[in-house]
């Protein structure tokens, strides 16, 4: 999408807040969770994904990005020792979503295979207070006249408005019915095939919105209205090194007009987990200048990842 | 080195002096000439022996494990490719002879340290298999009825005396059923691609099941908390066993070792930083290794020449260098229905056994090589790993103990040790999934899987 997050904001009637929301930050800052113990494990996971996991000299991005994701999720799942309700989560891979809405007389639809979805039995409680939600009423959505807001979107004749996660992805009676977090892995080897960070954030927002909207329609029906219980869906995007964290709160399904209560999104962008992964030692003039290993490791990024994972159960 | 060899050759040449030299051989005077040794490049048996000696010394003296592995697999020649998942008839007998493995039906009588801490007297360690089964049966009987009866009331009075926490079978069963239902029923997926049924439902189900069970049980087993879970890793091993004469080509007529290579892709594997404990002592003899008089190519096995890889799933630098459990998925080509249609019902179990033996041999032997052992430097402690082979519904459990790596012609002559593989037949986990519920769920299979995951060294 051309304008990235700004365009996505207009299309989904959302207000952007920089940084992660206070409940998630409180999980990170809470010393009871002992997030520091995992530093060793995370370093091992990064080294495993970037250095050790292949018979060749250096693994390619298509290989190391999913491996890193699996290792980090494995580390997060091990926390279910301390928090037994974490076992009430289920990962769904190759998951299809479709959601439709109308925005100032333009019909929009989000569809596709969108990565990996983690479902939980219990919904995430709303992240913003009532006052903040009411305050979004005054916020004016940014438009970028003269560029039309639907630039770069594919125009398709839709004959059937398929609308929900319930019908098209999961059957009724599915116990893990609340979408919790979406994971996007940009693992293409060649740079042009990968999304740039800005576009990745926009994609994350569109799909998080699509999931939240579909869930809202299942819970509250198809009429556009302001939701009593806002729906929160989180999203994490990575290309193996850079992480984008997002928390999306759907406050209203009344999307036709541009006034009134808006939805809220918190974005923490471009968090590096490590600076460089040196697969073979760098040798200048027969002297090893840089031995093999991971350089510039940032433990805070994993803390945010884990906090998003734990959000809703602690 | 050369001086001592020279001294040895001089002594052989002068063996009629043996009476006087039988005590301490006196130091010969420092010779003006270099020691007389066999040529290194001649086309003679002594020269070949000397080259082999030299190669062995180079590998022994290698500076690091990577260097040792590089030298071990340096020479590339045509070798037989062994496929753990094979349609060949009676492949498990052939694989046992190639890897010097004894197959023992049934699982080893473990120190059942797992949930069978029944209250009171049942001594949990070193139970015989019947007693071990009896120890398990009360535990399974104490497990709550499928979701109906009040679980806490039934469990707590009987197990109140137990010192260790019991295993909640209801919880485990619900985890397994949830994973199964999600993959087969609840998630709407497209139709499976042609001949790719295994990737559609059983594959994701196995991944979900193992990852959720491992996370659930890691409080019980601290080894799992430090483990590394690999999805679709690669496991390779290269070895020599037996001898043959080269049939055609410019090397025709020479006597060569028979080379084998296993390139395996398990569906899932768990690697841990500490080794699993040995099941039986290193020198145990639990049966016979089958001897097959035919050439390996009669199995059928085919030769190819390519890189000689030894790999456990990650490189030597990884701290999780020991194996815990592997999970294998039987591909569509080897489905039960196809064997039944071809009137080969007895070969169904052969598929599971061959897969278990070959994959586990490759994994444990590669782990041993990562620790510096090879066929000239045999293992000093047994390497143990486990595997579960499944096609999504039927599960077969295998346990392997590697006692020896010395399988080449020179080293196998005085080697009484044999590798041992324990294994079960395949049993179904459930009967059928319909209408959002799992019918005929088999707790025994799940309990065995949980026992496998909870296996750990004694000190933990």
């Amino acid at each position: 999408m051309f304008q990235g997050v700004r365009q996505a904001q207009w299309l989904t009637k959302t207000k952007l807040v920089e940084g992660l929301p206070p409940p998630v930050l409180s999980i990170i800052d809470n010393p009871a969770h002992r997030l520091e113990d995992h530093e060793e494990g995370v370093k091992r996971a990064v080294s495993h994904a970037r250095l050790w996991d292949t018979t060749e000299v250096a693994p390619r991005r298509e290989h190391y990005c999913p491996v890193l994701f699996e290792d980090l999720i494995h580390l997060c799942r091990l926390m279910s020792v301390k928090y037994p309700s974490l076992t009430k989560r289920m990962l769904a891979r190759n998951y299809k979503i479709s959601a439709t809405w109308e925005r100032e007389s333009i019909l929009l639809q989000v569809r596709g295979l969108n990565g990996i979805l983690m479902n939980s039995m219990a919904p995430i409680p709303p992240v913003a207070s009532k006052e903040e939600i009411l305050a979004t009423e005054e916020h004016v959505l940014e438009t970028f006249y003269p560029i039309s807001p639907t630039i770069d979107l594919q125009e398709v004749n839709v004959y059937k408005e398929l609308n929900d996660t319930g019908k098209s992805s999961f059957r009724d009676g599915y116990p893990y019915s609340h979408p919790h977090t979406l994971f996007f892995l940009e693992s293409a080897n060649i740079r042009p095939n990968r999304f740039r960070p800005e576009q990745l954030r926009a994609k994350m927002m569109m799909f998080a919105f699509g999931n939240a909207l579909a869930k809202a329609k299942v819970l509250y029906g198809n009429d556009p209205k302001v939701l009593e219980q806002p729906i929160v869906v989180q999203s994490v995007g990575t290309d193996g090194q850079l992480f984008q964290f997002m928390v999306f709160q759907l406050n209203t399904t009344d999307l036709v007009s541009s006034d009134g209560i808006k939805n809220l999104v918190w974005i923490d962008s471009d968090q590096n987990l490590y600076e460089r992964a040196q697969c073979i030692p760098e040798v200048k003039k027969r002297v090893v200048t840089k031995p093999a290993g991971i350089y510039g490791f940032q433990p805070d990024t994993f803390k945010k990842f884990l906090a998003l994972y734990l959000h809703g159960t602690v | 080195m050369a001086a001592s060899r020279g001294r040895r050759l001089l002594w052989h040449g002068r063996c009629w002096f043996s009476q006087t030299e039988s005590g301490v051989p006196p130091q010969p005077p420092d010779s003006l000439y270099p020691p007389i040794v066999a040529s290194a490049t001649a086309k003679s048996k002594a020269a070949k022996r000397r080259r082999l000696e030299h190669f062995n010394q180079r590998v022994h003296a290698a500076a690091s494990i990577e260097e040792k592995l590089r030298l071990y697999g340096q020479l590339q020649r045509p070798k037989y490719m062994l496929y753990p998942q094979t349609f060949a008839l009676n492949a498990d007998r052939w694989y046992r002879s190639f890897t010097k493995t004894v197959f023992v039906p049934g699982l080893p009588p473990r120190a059942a340290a797992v949930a069978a801490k029944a209250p009171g007297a049942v001594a949990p360690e070193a139970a015989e298999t019947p007693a071990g089964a009896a120890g398990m049966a009360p535990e399974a009987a104490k497990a709550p009825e499928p979701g109906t009866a009040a679980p806490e009331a039934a469990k707590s009075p009987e197990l109140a005396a137990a010192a260790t926490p019991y295993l909640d079978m209801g919880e485990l069963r619900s985890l397994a059923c949830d994973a199964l239902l999600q993959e087969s029923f609840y998630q709407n997926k497209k139709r499976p691609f042609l001949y790719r049924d295994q990737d559609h439902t059983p594959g994701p189900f196995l991944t979900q099941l193992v990852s959720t069970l491992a996370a659930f049980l890691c409080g019980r087993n601290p080894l799992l908390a430090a483990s590394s879970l690999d999805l679709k890793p690669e496991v390779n091993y290269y070895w020599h066993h037996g001898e043959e004469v080269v049939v055609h080509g410019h090397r025709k007529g020479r006597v060569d070792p028979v080379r084998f290579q296993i390139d395996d892709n398990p569906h899932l594997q768990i690697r841990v930083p500490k080794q699993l404990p040995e099941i039986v002592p290193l020198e145990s003899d639990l049966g016979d290794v089958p001897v097959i008089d035919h050439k390996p190519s009669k199995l059928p096995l085919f030769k190819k020449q390519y890189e000689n890889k030894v790999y456990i799933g990650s490189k030597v630098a990884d701290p999780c260098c020991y194996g815990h459990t592997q999970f294998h998925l039987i591909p569509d080509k080897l489905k039960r229905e196809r064997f039944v249609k071809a009137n080969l019902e007895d070969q169904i179990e052969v598929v599971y056994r061959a897969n278990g033996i070959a994959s586990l041999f490759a994994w444990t032997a590669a782990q041993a090589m990562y620790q510096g052992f090879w066929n000239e430097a045999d293992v000093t402690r047994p390497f143990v790993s486990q595997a579960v082979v499944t096609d999504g519904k039927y599960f077969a459990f295998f346990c392997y103990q590697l006692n020896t790596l010395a399988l080449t012609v020179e080293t196998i002559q005085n080697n009484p040790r044999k590798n041992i593989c324990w294994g079960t037949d395949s049993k179904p986990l459930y009967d059928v999934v319909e209408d959002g519920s799992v019918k005929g769920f088999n707790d025994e299979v799940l309990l065995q899987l949980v026992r496998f995951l909870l296996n750990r060294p004694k000190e933990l």
Side-chain angles (χ1 to χ4, degrees):
Chain A
M1 280 207 275
F2 178 54
Q3 287 289 335
V5 176
R6 286 165 59 201
Q7 188 177 8
Q9 276 180 268
W10 190 91
L11 289 172
T12 59
K13 197 172 164 187
T14 310
K15 177 178 165 197
L16 170 68
V17 181
E18 290 288 343
L20 288 172
V24 178
L25 290 174
S26 71
I27 300 180
I28 301 177
D29 296 327
N30 189 350
H33 297 307
R34 306 267 310 258
L35 300 178
E36 297 76 28
D37 293 347
H38 298 275
E39 209 175 296
E40 263 316 302
V42 179
K43 275 203 206 142
R44 220 180 33 222
V46 173
S47 307
H48 173 242
R50 282 305 301 262
L51 303 176
W52 301 327
D53 193 48
T54 170
T55 45
E56 301 152 20
V57 175
R60 312 203 140 210
R61 197 181 290 261
E62 271 166 352
H63 187 74
Y64 74 69
C65 191
V67 169
L68 180 62
F69 168 70
E70 293 297 333
D71 281 342
L72 292 179
I73 284 285
H74 183 58
L75 279 173
C76 293
R77 263 199 291 254
L78 295 176
M79 293 285 282
S80 63
V81 165
K82 262 204 256 170
Y83 307 107
S85 47
L86 280 182
T87 52
K88 304 270 179 287
R89 301 272 183 93
M90 189 65 77
L91 270 185
R93 294 167 204 266
N94 296 331
Y95 152 79
K96 287 185 304 189
I97 169 66
S98 59
T100 323
W101 70 99
E102 212 180 299
R103 199 64 194 94
E104 286 195 6
S105 74
I106 312 168
L107 194 63
L108 298 163
Q109 192 180 54
V110 159
R111 263 184 130 159
L113 288 170
N114 64 351
I116 306 171
L117 171 68
M118 184 163 67
N119 287 313
S120 68
M121 279 192 184
I124 311 180
V127 177
S129 59
K130 291 266 184 248
E131 296 78 27
E132 282 178 19
I133 302 176
L134 290 173
T136 59
E137 241 177 309
E138 289 90 43
H139 174 78
V140 173
L141 287 175
E142 223 181 316
T143 53
F144 10 88
Y145 185 81
I147 306 176
S148 152
T150 55
I151 191 172
D152 275 350
L153 296 180
Q154 197 182 15
E155 193 175 310
V156 173
N157 285 326
V158 177
Y159 299 106
K160 252 200 305 191
E161 284 184 18
L162 271 185
N163 223 338
D164 29 10
T165 60
K167 283 236 171 60
S168 67
S169 293
F170 292 103
R171 294 207 207 179
D172 300 326
Y174 184 47
Y176 300 89
S177 51
H178 297 271
H180 187 277
T181 315
L182 280 163
F183 296 98
F184 293 91
L185 305 177
E186 290 301 313
S187 53
N189 268 337
I190 330 177
R191 201 193 289 217
N193 290 358
R194 294 200 291 273
F195 274 68
R196 311 267 85 242
E198 183 70 19
Q199 274 77 35
L200 178 60
R201 287 196 286 276
K203 176 166 101 160
M204 282 159 63
M205 195 150 94
M206 297 304 292
F207 278 109
F209 171 76
N211 275 297
L213 187 66
K215 187 73 200 155
K217 294 204 176 168
V218 163
L219 283 179
Y220 303 115
N222 277 336
D223 308 321
K225 58 168 168 280
V226 175
L227 300 176
E228 281 302 316
Q229 260 308 76
I231 297 183
V232 178
V233 174
Q234 301 176 142
S235 182
V236 177
T238 176
D239 66 350
Q241 184 165 348
L242 218 54
F243 281 75
Q244 325 282 345
F245 300 107
M246 174 185 299
V247 181
F248 186 90
Q249 173 164 321
L250 187 74
N251 296 322
T252 169
T253 52
D254 177 15
L255 300 159
V256 179
S257 65
S258 286
D259 318 312
I261 303 232
K262 318 271 185 314
N263 305 314
L264 281 163
V265 71
W266 289 261
I267 300 190
D268 203 2
S269 45
D270 294 336
Q271 305 290 311
N272 244 334
L273 186 56
Y274 54 92
E275 294 299 324
R276 270 191 70 117
Q278 192 83 20
C279 294
I280 26 181
E282 196 177 301
V283 179
K284 290 254 164 75
K285 294 194 189 166
R286 310 245 187 111
V287 171
V288 175
T289 45
K290 257 187 171 177
I294 304 287
Y295 290 92
F297 178 70
Q298 309 256 16
D300 292 328
T301 316
F302 180 70
K303 284 191 193 159
K304 292 180 187 164
F305 188 93
L306 187 55
L308 283 182
Y309 186 87
L310 293 174
H311 188 208
T313 51
V314 294
Chain B
M1 266 305 148
S4 70
R5 212 186 307 131
R7 200 183 311 140
R8 183 161 38 99
L9 276 171
L10 279 173
W11 193 34
H12 280 306
R14 280 152 172 72
C15 58
W16 47 278
F17 269 156
S18 60
Q19 288 94 352
T20 48
E21 292 185 359
S22 59
V24 175
Q27 291 285 10
D30 278 343
S31 166
L32 293 173
Y33 302 98
I36 303 171
V37 291
S39 154
T41 51
K43 196 180 169 183
S44 67
K45 291 202 179 79
K48 182 150 178 166
R49 254 181 290 146
R50 188 166 171 229
R51 283 195 294 268
L52 210 55
E53 265 285 334
H54 181 63
F55 169 73
N56 292 346
Q57 270 158 25
R58 272 179 74 202
V59 179
H60 276 301
S64 66
I65 307 276
E66 286 98 342
E67 181 64 19
K68 207 177 256 206
L69 290 177
R70 190 188 72 84
L71 286 174
Y72 176 75
Q74 195 177 26
L75 180 62
Q76 279 190 21
R77 290 259 192 254
K79 57 192 175 181
Y80 286 111
M81 298 177 294
L82 236 65
Y83 293 99
Q85 294 178 329
T86 173
F87 51 78
L89 300 179
N90 293 326
D92 66 326
R93 252 191 101 232
W94 289 77
Y95 287 178
R96 271 185 286 151
S97 85
F98 297 147
T99 61
K100 205 178 178 195
T101 308
V102 170
F103 184 76
V104 178
L107 286 177
R110 282 281 175 78
V114 178
K117 292 264 196 328
V122 175
E125 60 300 331
E128 293 300 308
T129 328
M136 292 301 152
E139 203 288 323
K142 281 175 204 134
E145 302 310 307
T148 51
E152 294 81 51
K155 275 185 285 191
S156 47
E158 293 160 352
L159 294 169
T164 51
Y166 52 82
L167 269 183
D168 190 351
M169 275 312 293
E171 180 80 32
L172 292 169
R173 194 185 305 123
S174 74
L175 279 180
C177 289
D178 278 342
L180 185 57
L181 285 171
Q182 168 173 330
E183 291 308 329
S184 49
F185 184 73
Y186 282 123
Q187 190 173 352
N188 283 350
K189 301 181 190 177
K190 290 189 175 161
R191 279 174 46 192
F193 196 74
L194 185 61
Y195 300 132
R196 294 264 180 271
D197 283 315
Q198 296 295 89
D199 296 335
H200 185 253
T201 308
F205 160 58
L206 193 60
T207 316
Q208 286 276 19
L209 179 68
V210 174
S211 35
T212 41
L213 277 182
F216 184 73
L217 295 170
C218 72
R220 212 64 71 89
N221 185 357
L223 200 59
L224 283 181
S227 66
S228 178
L229 191 69
D230 300 332
L231 296 187
K232 302 223 171 37
E234 214 186 305
V235 172
N236 311 81
Y237 185 61
Y238 167 76
W239 78 103
H240 298 180
H241 177 67
E243 247 180 358
E244 66 175 0
V245 177
V246 179
V247 173
H248 69 282
H250 67 280
R251 301 183 72 237
K252 179 173 172 178
R254 299 181 207 192
V255 174
D256 248 6
V258 181
R259 302 173 201 91
F260 297 94
Q261 167 91 38
I262 292 185
D263 294 319
D264 188 22
N265 283 308
H267 186 73
L268 202 62
Q269 80 181 10
I270 301 179
R271 279 176 300 112
V272 288
K274 290 206 176 46
Q275 203 176 344
L276 288 176
E278 66 173 33
I279 306 172
V280 288
L282 196 56
E283 305 281 343
S284 335
D285 187 354
L286 295 179
D288 286 320
V289 178
V291 172
I292 299 191
D293 292 325
H294 303 284
K295 272 178 73 161
S297 59
K298 304 288 181 208
L299 175 58
L301 277 180
F302 299 97
K303 281 197 175 186
K304 202 160 86 154
Q305 175 174 325
Y306 57 103
E307 195 192 336
N308 299 330
K309 282 202 264 200
V310 175
Y311 188 64
I312 64 166
S314 76
K315 293 190 185 162
V316 182
D318 198 333
C320 291
C321 52
Y322 295 103
H324 189 268
T325 317
Q326 267 182 343
F327 293 84
H328 296 267
L329 197 60
I330 302 266
D332 280 289
K333 259 199 342 192
L334 303 172
K335 280 195 296 204
R336 293 179 100 91
E337 292 85 23
R338 289 174 80 121
F339 280 101
V340 170
K341 250 198 298 190
N343 267 334
L344 291 167
E345 276 95 358
D346 45 342
Q347 298 295 320
I348 296 179
E349 293 304 325
V350 166
V351 168
Y352 289 85
R353 276 203 296 268
N355 196 353
I357 293 174
S359 307
L360 282 173
F361 171 75
W363 206 29
T364 46
Q367 288 167 45
M369 287 210 78
Y370 270 36
Q371 302 305 310
F373 301 108
W374 58 298
N375 50 30
E376 297 289 327
D378 210 355
V379 295
T380 52
R381 58 185 192 274
F383 282 77
V384 172
S385 289
Q386 306 168 128
V388 178
V389 183
T390 172
D391 68 348
K393 186 169 159 190
Y394 288 84
F395 282 71
F397 299 92
F398 295 92
C399 214
Y400 196 92
Q401 172 161 328
L402 184 84
N403 293 325
T404 174
L405 276 181
L407 300 170
T408 59
V409 173
E410 300 94 28
T411 49
I412 207 174
Q413 278 165 1
N414 297 328
N415 187 10
R417 302 190 200 164
K418 299 172 195 161
N419 304 320
I420 312 170
C421 181
W422 290 264
T424 65
D425 283 343
S426 54
K427 297 193 188 63
L429 180 65
Y430 59 93
D431 277 336
V432 70
V433 176
E434 56 187 32
D435 288 341
S437 63
V438 178
K439 304 253 181 343
F441 194 86
N442 186 353
D443 278 343
E444 273 303 309
V445 176
L446 185 61
L447 193 57
Q448 185 56 55
L449 182 60
V450 166
R451 253 181 253 156
F452 260 30
L453 285 174
L454 287 176
N455 195 9
R456 58 187 180 277
K458 291 188 188 51
E459 42 294 346
L460 281 185

